[in-house]
Amino acid sequence: MVNLEELKENAKELLKQEKVKYIIGYKRGTNGLMPVPAFIKKPEDVENLIWDPLCIYNLTRFLVDEKRKKAKQKNPDERPVGLIVKGCDSRAVNVLLQEKFINREDIYIIGISCENTGVVDEKKLVKKLKGKKVKKIEFGKKNGFIVSTEDGQVEVPSSEILAERCQECIAHFPVVYDVLLGEKPKRKPDNPFKSLEKMESLSREERWTFWKEQLDKCIRCYACRSTCPMCYCDECVVDTINFAVTADTTAEEKAQKIKWVEKSPVLSENFVYHFIRAIHLAGRCIDCGECERVCPLDIPLRFLNKKLEKEAKELFGYDVGFDPDRPSLVSCFKEEDPEDFIR
Amino acid sequence: MKKILRKKSFLQWVKRLESYKIYAPMKDDDFWNFALINNPKDLNLNHSNTVLSPKKIIFPQREVILEFSTSNDSELEVKEILPEEKASIIFGVRPCDARAIPLMDKVFGGDFTDPYYWKRRDKTILVGLSCNTPPSSNCFCLSVEGSPHSKEGLDILMTDLGDKYYVESLTKKGDQLINLAKNLFEEPNAKDNKDLENIHKDSEKKIKRQIQDIKNIPAKLKEMFESPFWDEESLSCLRCGICTYLCPTCHCFDINDEIISSSPLKGKRVRTWDNCQFPDFTMHSSGHNPRSDRASRLRQRILHKFQYFIEQYQNYQCTGCGRCISKCPVGIDIIEVLNKVENYGT
Ligand code: SF4
Ligand code: SF4
Ligand code: SF4
């Protein structure tokens, strides 16, 4: 079992010995049930750190901010940033390393094993408790969670409230770390692409109807993109900043800048946005499920990315985020790559 | 006008309103959102807070304001498109969302009246529902001069009294709706009035969250423009647009030309919601961005609501609905931010 005290001790030492600039972890929030990201700078503040089954966020995204901030500083602090990662999160780190977006020496990775469980889906938990307020939630001894409410404790089997992505998780433990807390589990998922089965059994027309309905709801708040560690482009195609303007740029040139996607949240533009994003995540998405979790309209974005993950696996035998030294899927070509789908 | 409507007569009332377009909260799997009601039977007033506020009906996220084209002799033709709306009624408006509408009226009224906004606004009737229990755990209307039974901005306020609704009409438009089905309504008796008073009083006690002392905040914020506070508070901000798109009072918009064909030229001028959290918000054509990082963007959101708006219109531009708090993916909490502002440097 991961021991929170051990986590705090580790974090405190790192800060005391000034080995890291700061540590990104989880702390209690003020807005409700869910923990919030914590940026811990002082050894005494490690007391705020928590680890419980609601620590669902993938904190890797903040490495993108750190890199941007550092690039602007004149005399940057060269020490690494401490980062707490679960298995899925660690694979996101690997992708960023593989793409040379970050350097290994710029991060100190505190890995946490999910052991035999995973993290809890907030919506499922709220539904399960039917309005009762959660006071505390812990990992159970076996495969479940212990939830304390005002009416006492209940043990909830993980199958009922586990996040969907954890049910299909292929590695419940960090694959890259400097220190690891908890044990490596033996459990293998039954079928990592189970959630796709229903979608795949639908006809093309049915799928079209489904996605039309779903993407019609999108308000283009871009929370899905903003929380994704892989969506790190300096200029995203959907923003209208992708045009360098100087004092000499004429009005005509400005008027002729290419807009790939209109700002209007209408079906055609929403499709373009989501398809561009999905294609750009093929072989890069590690299925942390963050995009789907943050969507205020509950659009099931995981299906899109999961499908591409499956294609990468089946067509190219490619597993995402396990080996930072392997060339990335979209930037390499092999003689034996299948090509029968190219028409 | 104060009336009583039996719950069993509610459906009949709605049926009598068939000449109007009717919007109400509808459930979509796990969440509520305002939608056009085709069958009065679908109308159900048990909703928790809707994801988006009813601002999206009066001030839609996208609207075409004009169309342009060049004909063969390359004459440019421009056609203004004004919304041609049927009169509509929005049921189930929460008092916080209703209070947001007079705030938008100020922005889209005043020296320059925005015809696109007012075409819809003038034809919309707002029927509110008081919150006997707060629809969100992050409700804080009491801190921003509102209340769970506020009448501001509404044409009718309904209050659930168990097997009946207390229906108070506040404007002529409201009276009209009641008059269309006069026989369904009864006069309230002394007990109904007493019940209403008690329910309203109780509902205030159930609001758990509050801003400590909002009075000092505008002046305090004014001194904090350059403060490192904003860097600290925005550390986890993802720069998504949830907080402002879901906010009932945020009203920034952008205008773009959408080209359908370049030769012969044909296209539309479109207004869409804009968002102070986005990287291209108010970016100058020179490439200079006055709000280039997340600290200055968070500062913009807070200062606009609690300093600039007060200076310009003598109101807070927040009605305490709690949406930006509940839906923030990283838990940035506007109440907490303001409480910290209040205590900052003391
Ligand atoms: S997906 Fe796997 S590693 Fe990630 S939280 Fe779930 S169980 Fe843990
Ligand atoms: S988070 Fe949801 S609503 Fe927002 S842009 Fe993404 S899919 Fe659309
Ligand atoms: S600022 Fe937040 S709490 Fe205030 S009205 Fe807007 S969304 Fe609601």
Side-chain angles (χ1 to χ4, degrees):
Chain A
M1 273 282 209
V2 178
N3 179 339
L4 177 60
E5 289 315 312
E6 196 186 334
L7 171 67
K8 288 184 185 168
E9 218 25 70
N10 262 299
K12 196 179 232 160
E13 275 313 303
L14 285 171
L15 289 166
K16 257 196 194 151
Q17 296 175 14
E18 303 188 349
K19 276 198 183 151
V20 294
K21 275 192 251 194
Y22 58 90
I23 290 172
I24 315 175
Y26 305 94
K27 65 175 184 187
R28 281 268 147 270
T30 51
N31 65 333
L33 189 58
M34 298 301 281
V36 299
F39 296 80
I40 311 269
K41 293 199 179 96
K42 296 187 221 129
E44 59 271 28
D45 291 342
V46 299
E47 282 318 313
N48 295 334
L49 281 178
I50 58 165
W51 167 247
D52 74 16
L54 287 170
C55 292
I56 190 165
Y57 305 166
N58 179 355
L59 302 170
T60 312
R61 169 71 209 190
F62 296 114
L63 295 179
V64 180
D65 291 326
E66 172 58 29
K67 175 169 168 160
R68 293 218 174 103
K69 201 159 72 190
K70 200 170 159 188
K72 280 195 207 152
Q73 286 162 344
K74 281 214 183 87
N75 296 310
D77 181 341
E78 294 294 349
R79 286 173 302 165
V81 171
L83 179 73
I84 295 180
V85 298
K86 304 182 287 296
C88 45
D89 311 338
S90 78
R91 283 184 286 123
V93 173
N94 261 349
V95 176
L96 296 179
L97 291 171
Q98 182 184 25
E99 296 177 351
K100 312 253 178 317
F101 183 75
I102 48 170
N103 300 320
R104 184 65 181 85
E105 58 276 17
D106 289 340
I107 27 171
Y108 185 94
I109 307 172
I110 305 170
I112 293 189
S113 168
C114 290
E115 293 173 353
N116 281 315
T117 20
V119 287
V120 163
D121 181 304
E122 185 190 6
K123 287 179 195 128
K124 287 189 191 169
L125 178 65
V126 169
K127 254 196 202 156
K128 169 81 192 163
L129 296 178
K130 298 197 183 81
K132 267 181 262 161
K133 266 220 168 113
V134 182
K135 282 195 177 144
K136 200 171 165 196
I137 175 159
E138 295 159 282
F139 292 99
K141 285 253 153 41
K142 278 202 214 97
N143 192 6
F145 302 101
I146 304 165
V147 187
S148 318
T149 66
E150 56 253 56
D151 304 349
Q153 268 189 1
V154 275
E155 181 129 22
V156 186
S158 68
S159 57
E160 291 184 27
I161 54 172
L162 197 63
E164 203 97 332
R165 61 131 189 289
C166 297
Q167 279 166 6
E168 302 182 336
C169 176
I170 45 176
H172 295 213
F173 56 92
V175 290
V176 51
Y177 51 81
D178 293 296
V179 50
L180 178 68
L181 306 175
E183 281 119 49
K184 283 195 180 181
K186 290 183 200 80
R187 196 192 118 188
K188 272 259 163 239
D190 318 330
N191 173 0
F193 301 109
K194 185 142 185 42
S195 59
L196 289 178
E197 280 172 7
K198 201 172 155 227
M199 183 68 74
E200 287 171 338
S201 72
L202 300 179
S203 69
R204 185 188 291 239
E205 290 69 33
E206 285 167 323
R207 274 180 284 143
W208 177 239
T209 315
F210 175 84
W211 283 111
K212 267 203 302 209
E213 240 170 59
Q214 291 299 333
L215 295 185
D216 196 35
K217 296 192 287 188
C218 175
I219 55 170
R220 301 261 293 280
C221 65
Y222 300 135
C224 44
R225 160 193 86 174
S226 310
T227 196
C228 176
M230 306 311 160
C231 277
Y232 59 64
C233 293
D234 282 334
E235 300 177 352
C236 178
V237 301
V238 297
D239 295 326
T240 44
I241 46 170
N242 48 359
F243 182 71
V245 186
T246 67
D248 300 326
T249 314
T250 63
E252 194 138 290
E253 282 168 323
K254 282 180 195 165
Q256 277 171 7
K257 74 177 176 181
I258 296 174
K259 233 191 293 157
W260 298 104
V261 189
E262 299 290 1
K263 207 160 182 167
S264 289
V266 294
L267 198 56
S268 64
E269 306 309 293
N270 294 356
F271 262 102
V272 178
Y273 163 55
H274 285 289
F275 287 176
I276 293 179
R277 184 164 176 270
I279 290 288
H280 284 185
L281 286 169
R284 306 177 65 233
C285 167
I286 43 76
D287 193 19
C288 65
E290 281 290 90
C291 51
E292 181 167 315
R293 178 186 71 83
V294 301
C295 177
L297 279 312
D298 291 355
I299 300 172
L301 297 168
R302 235 190 109 234
F303 279 146
L304 288 177
N305 303 328
K306 199 72 192 165
K307 178 70 181 168
L308 288 164
E309 186 186 330
K310 187 175 174 191
E311 304 276 88
K313 174 84 187 164
E314 288 181 348
L315 292 168
F316 304 98
Y318 190 88
D319 287 309
V320 188
F322 284 91
D323 182 2
D325 298 323
R326 181 179 178 177
S328 76
L329 176 71
V330 286
S331 68
C332 68
F333 170 74
K334 284 198 227 104
E335 205 68 44
E336 64 273 21
D337 281 349
E339 44 186 33
D340 46 347
F341 53 87
I342 302 171
R343 266 173 249 166
Chain B
M1 193 192 288
K2 293 176 180 169
K3 295 282 178 196
I4 290 292
L5 177 70
R6 303 263 152 204
K7 276 194 180 163
K8 59 179 180 356
S9 307
F10 179 59
L11 183 62
Q12 289 179 48
W13 181 34
V14 180
K15 280 187 183 155
R16 300 264 180 99
L17 307 173
E18 63 184 2
S19 60
Y20 294 88
K21 262 166 113 173
I22 293 179
Y23 294 91
M26 295 270 274
K27 193 143 191 205
D28 181 331
D29 291 333
D30 283 337
F31 62 84
W32 291 88
N33 221 349
F34 279 94
L36 195 62
I37 303 282
N38 295 318
N39 184 346
K41 279 209 185 87
D42 297 339
L43 219 156
N44 167 340
L45 295 181
N46 293 322
H47 54 290
S48 58
N49 226 357
T50 50
V51 177
L52 285 150
S53 82
K55 103 174 161 190
K56 67 166 192 170
I57 300 165
I58 299 174
F59 173 48
Q61 190 174 359
R62 171 191 194 258
E63 63 186 326
V64 177
I65 56 182
L66 59 85
E67 287 174 353
F68 52 85
S69 58
T70 44
S71 51
N72 292 341
D73 46 12
S74 58
E75 268 299 300
L76 184 68
E77 268 177 51
V78 179
K79 187 171 148 227
E80 185 179 33
I81 310 281
L82 279 166
E84 281 186 32
E85 288 294 313
K86 213 167 125 179
S88 43
I89 307 171
I90 314 179
F91 272 100
V93 180
R94 295 291 180 187
C96 52
D97 290 346
R99 286 187 66 225
I101 291 175
L103 298 179
M104 281 207 296
D105 291 349
K106 294 189 183 196
V107 176
F108 292 113
D111 294 340
F112 176 76
T113 48
D114 183 305
Y116 310 97
Y117 176 82
W118 285 100
K119 278 267 179 193
R120 290 193 180 83
R121 172 69 176 109
D122 283 335
K123 287 200 170 167
T124 310
I125 306 178
L126 298 163
V127 182
L129 181 71
S130 18
C131 308
N132 294 1
T133 44
S136 146
S137 56
N138 286 314
C139 289
F140 63 102
C141 48
L142 288 173
S143 302
V144 280
E145 299 175 342
S147 94
H149 49 85
S150 159
K151 298 169 189 165
E152 228 178 302
L154 287 170
D155 295 295
I156 288 181
L157 175 67
M158 292 169 62
T159 303
D160 190 332
L161 298 185
D163 59 348
K164 52 192 162 185
Y165 290 115
Y166 197 104
V167 182
E168 180 173 357
S169 166
L170 304 152
T171 62
K172 276 209 186 91
K173 282 184 187 171
D175 294 351
Q176 261 170 29
L177 295 194
I178 293 178
N179 289 336
L180 279 171
K182 252 190 193 143
N183 60 332
L184 297 176
F185 291 86
E186 298 161 28
E187 294 304 315
N189 57 34
K191 180 169 182 302
D192 294 329
N193 287 328
K194 192 78 208 147
D195 285 353
L196 181 80
E197 199 182 309
N198 288 337
I199 283 180
H200 282 177
K201 238 193 247 151
D202 270 0
S203 67
E204 290 181 18
K205 289 185 207 136
K206 292 184 200 157
I207 304 280
K208 291 282 177 283
R209 301 215 57 193
Q210 58 173 335
I211 299 172
Q212 281 165 17
D213 189 1
I214 197 166
K215 290 272 168 328
N216 301 328
I217 283 179
K220 196 77 194 263
L221 286 173
K222 207 167 178 170
E223 293 164 14
M224 285 173 64
F225 192 83
E226 304 281 1
S227 165
F229 176 80
W230 304 109
D231 291 303
E232 275 306 308
E233 290 308 304
S234 63
L235 274 177
S236 61
C237 176
L238 299 171
R239 289 163 267 207
C240 77
I242 290 184
C243 47
T244 86
Y245 276 177
L246 301 196
C247 176
T249 71
C250 279
H251 51 256
C252 285
F253 60 81
D254 192 7
I255 294 178
N256 283 286
D257 285 351
E258 293 183 0
I259 310 293
I260 299 164
S261 129
S262 48
S263 136
L265 182 67
K266 200 167 180 282
K268 293 173 176 167
R269 182 156 296 175
V270 176
R271 155 152 98 178
T272 52
W273 291 352
D274 203 356
N275 199 311
C276 55
Q277 306 304 306
F278 286 166
D280 49 0
F281 178 78
T282 61
M283 187 161 123
H284 298 180
S285 58
S286 66
H288 170 67
N289 192 335
R291 300 176 189 88
S292 58
D293 59 4
R294 52 193 170 167
S296 54
R297 291 185 197 130
L298 176 71
R299 181 182 65 195
Q300 167 66 20
R301 180 163 78 93
I302 305 287
L303 264 58
H304 194 181
K305 292 183 179 301
F306 293 94
Q307 183 199 329
Y308 312 149
F309 211 81
I310 278 273
E311 289 170 351
Q312 209 172 349
Y313 300 112
Q314 295 75 50
N315 280 102
Y316 302 110
Q317 194 220 347
C318 164
T319 59
C321 73
R323 282 186 183 86
C324 58
I325 307 174
S326 303
K327 285 288 181 186
C328 175
V330 292
I332 293 180
D333 179 340
I334 200 167
I335 301 178
E336 268 300 293
V337 173
L338 292 170
N339 286 342
K340 283 190 200 160
V341 165
E342 171 68 24
N343 299 323
Y344 192 74
T346 54

